Amino acid sequence: QVQLEESGGGSVQAGESLRLSCAGPRGIWSSYCLGWFRQPPGKEREAVVIIAKDGSTRIADSVKGRFTISKDNAKNTLYLQMNFLKPEDTAMYYCAAAGGGACSLNVWQYDDWGQGTQVTVSS
């Protein structure tokens, strides 16, 4: 099992930025599907953005143009840069990893999850 740990959440005003980090073990960064997901209060978990093994990305329409995923293999860290935050971005944010199959935005594909970091955006 892959252990992941998110950090960087917080409370911000609408229009501000945050960068989330996800630390994990060596060896997964070029061989796993990696992604950021979120669960708004009272709603189901949803995909935000994923990065495939070849470095290509897939992103949810709701955050396109505002959020960017990146990874630093040397630091064993996955990032989520979130700009122009909106109140509807308020959620618990999770990073996740999937070892097999084509990388997709399907939540069910991901087997390993961090504990999450809370992001709250006020208007």
Side-chain angles (χ1 to χ4, degrees):
Q1 186 171 358
V2 174
Q3 292 197 336
L4 303 168
E5 184 174 3
E6 305 92 340
S7 62
S11 296
V12 297
Q13 297 287 319
E16 295 183 341
S17 299
L18 277 175
R19 188 177 77 159
L20 306 183
S21 299
C22 173
R26 187 182 304 175
I28 70 169
W29 305 102
S30 58
S31 58
Y32 275 63
C33 305
L34 302 166
W36 288 97
F37 299 79
R38 67 186 182 186
Q39 187 162 13
K43 297 184 178 180
E44 294 186 353
R45 195 168 297 188
E46 63 185 19
V48 176
V49 58
I50 66 100
I51 185 165
K53 303 166 192 178
D54 63 0
S56 61
T57 62
R58 294 174 180 78
I59 191 165
D61 288 342
S62 59
V63 302
K64 198 170 292 183
R66 300 187 298 122
F67 290 14
T68 305
I69 191 171
S70 63
K71 59 181 179 176
D72 187 329
N73 292 356
K75 295 184 178 179
N76 302 322
T77 304
L78 183 73
Y79 299 102
L80 179 65
Q81 179 65 44
M82 304 185 293
N83 298 327
F84 306 109
L85 283 159
K86 303 176 180 180
E88 51 263 44
D89 295 319
T90 294
M92 184 71 78
Y93 282 72
Y94 300 90
C95 66
C103 300
S104 74
L105 289 169
N106 290 321
V107 176
W108 57 261
Q109 180 184 5
Y110 293 80
D111 303 311
D112 299 295
W113 295 82
Q115 294 297 310
T117 185
Q118 178 68 37
V119 172
T120 302
V121 185
S122 56
S123 57

